[in-house]
């Protein structure tokens, strides 16, 4: 349970941001719903994440034994990343500051017979429990918290030696303002107006610095939308959405 009075760092969340995602939670899984473009974005993002997990833990061309992997999804929302990884057999924990999102994720997993552990808590609380995971995922969360460096450092501390840290967010560029805010929120209405604050977008170099010297950047890729087909693709440009994968020193 989320205890806002706990420890230093225990208040690294925004009530306004949580309320915003509470309102969205029920619609995240609807492929024909208002935010189906965001659902398609998640599909493409998940392909990148799975590829990085398999590259890091696999044996040659053989994929890893997912059942041997522990994964935590920080800011798991409705479970769009957590549930597919659990379907592959991984031991997945999803945590979120939104109690509504956690309940939506739980209901969806139960309905589909997928075993995922969802908890209503912050990353700082997981750190206090002394837990570590083979894979730590923080996707499209850092741009919504007050202390961004703290969040990334907490995520980094949750990675086991030799493990994988996956970070995804939006770059702070003029192009991202035009596409991700003006285009996605005000023109195309892919997301509700006010979903993002451009000043909270993060440069790739900032994430690398915050991850710290124990981590090596293995892979990074951008994401772009084909507006005519409604499909998301990877791109070499990191100017808007991007994903990074880091390996932790053993």
């Amino acid at each position: 349970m989320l205890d806002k009075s706990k420890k230093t760092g225990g208040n690294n969340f925004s009530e306004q941001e949580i309320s915003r995602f509470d309102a969205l939670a029920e619609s995240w899984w609807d492929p024909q719903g208002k935010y189906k473009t965001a659902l398609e974005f998640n599909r493409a993002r998940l392909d990148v994440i799975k590829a990085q997990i398999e590259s890091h833990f696999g044996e040659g061309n053989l994929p890893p034994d997912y059942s041997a992997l522990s994964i935590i999804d920080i800011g798991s929302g409705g479970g769009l990343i957590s549930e597919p990884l659990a379907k592959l057999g991984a031991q997945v924990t999803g945590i979120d500051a939104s109690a509504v999102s956690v309940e939506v994720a739980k209901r969806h997993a139960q309905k589909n017979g997928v075993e995922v552990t969802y908890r209503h808590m912050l990353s700082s609380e997981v750190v206090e429990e002394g837990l570590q995971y083979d894979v730590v995922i923080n996707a499209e969360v850092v741009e919504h918290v007050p202390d961004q460096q703290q969040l990334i450092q907490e995520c980094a501390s949750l990675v086991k030696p030799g493990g994988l840290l996956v970070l995804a967010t939006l770059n702070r560029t003029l192009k991202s303002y035009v596409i991700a805010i003006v285009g996605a929120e005000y023109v195309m209405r892919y997301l509700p107006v006010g979903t993002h604050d451009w000043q909270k977008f993060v440069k790739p170099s900032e994430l690398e610095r915050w991850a710290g010297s124990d981590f090596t950047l293995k892979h990074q890729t951008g994401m772009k939308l084909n507006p005519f087909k409604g499909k998301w693709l990877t791109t070499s440009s990191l100017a808007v959405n991007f994903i990074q994968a880091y390996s932790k020193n053993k």
Side-chain angles (χ1 to χ4, degrees):
M1 182 177 178
L2 182 63
D3 182 354
K4 301 173 187 176
S5 67
K6 289 180 75 174
K7 71 216 163 272
T8 302
N11 61 345
N12 192 17
F13 63 93
S14 161
E15 292 282 7
Q16 184 178 9
E17 294 289 349
I18 292 172
S19 297
R20 199 187 317 278
F21 282 97
D22 283 351
L24 293 173
E26 292 285 356
S27 62
W28 283 131
W29 283 99
D30 185 358
Q32 303 304 321
K34 187 176 180 181
Y35 305 119
K36 61 184 179 182
T37 302
L39 195 58
E40 164 60 21
F41 170 72
N42 181 73
R43 180 205 59 76
R45 176 180 65 178
L46 191 59
D47 285 346
V48 175
I49 293 172
K50 288 192 294 184
Q52 290 309 303
I53 292 173
E54 291 172 9
S55 171
H56 189 74
F57 294 100
E59 298 275 344
N61 293 323
L62 297 175
D65 176 6
Y66 273 93
S67 67
L69 296 179
S70 60
I71 300 175
I72 187 166
D73 182 8
I74 308 292
S76 51
L80 295 179
I81 291 176
S82 296
E83 189 172 312
L85 293 176
K87 277 185 177 180
L88 294 172
Q91 305 161 50
V92 181
T93 299
I95 69 165
D96 203 279
S98 164
V100 174
S101 293
V102 168
E103 290 307 311
V104 168
K106 283 181 178 179
R107 288 200 301 271
H108 194 274
Q110 289 169 357
K111 179 181 177 181
N112 289 276
V114 183
E115 186 174 342
V116 189
T117 300
Y118 288 112
R119 305 178 70 188
H120 178 215
M121 64 193 306
L122 301 175
S123 54
S124 56
E125 295 175 271
V126 186
V127 172
E128 283 208 342
E129 292 179 344
L131 300 174
Q132 287 190 312
Y133 300 81
D134 296 305
V135 182
V136 175
I137 300 169
N138 185 283
E140 275 70 44
V141 178
V142 69
E143 69 269 24
H144 298 289
V145 301
D147 192 331
Q148 297 173 305
Q149 181 174 350
Q150 175 189 310
L151 175 63
I152 299 305
Q153 289 176 340
E154 287 169 353
C155 291
S157 72
L158 293 173
V159 183
K160 290 180 180 179
L164 188 70
L165 174 64
V166 179
L167 305 174
T169 188
L170 291 125
N171 201 347
R172 194 170 62 254
T173 63
L174 177 59
K175 187 174 182 179
S176 71
Y177 180 81
V178 172
I179 292 178
I181 295 182
V182 176
E185 296 182 17
Y186 287 87
V187 178
M188 303 305 294
R189 302 287 176 163
Y190 293 144
L191 293 169
V193 172
T195 296
H196 291 114
D197 176 355
W198 180 83
Q199 293 183 348
K200 300 294 287 184
F201 289 3
V202 183
K203 292 185 175 296
S205 59
E206 292 171 331
L207 287 184
E208 189 168 3
R209 185 173 71 251
W210 296 341
S213 58
D214 284 343
F215 288 83
T216 301
L217 179 63
K218 290 185 57 182
H219 178 80
Q220 59 183 357
T221 187
M223 304 288 293
K224 66 177 180 180
L225 174 67
N226 181 326
F228 302 105
K229 295 184 178 180
K231 297 293 184 182
W232 282 87
L233 307 168
T234 57
T235 173
S236 59
S237 172
L238 308 181
V240 187
N241 296 85
F242 68 95
I243 303 174
Q244 295 180 322
Y246 295 84
S247 60
K248 187 171 185 177
N249 299 337
K250 294 184 178 180

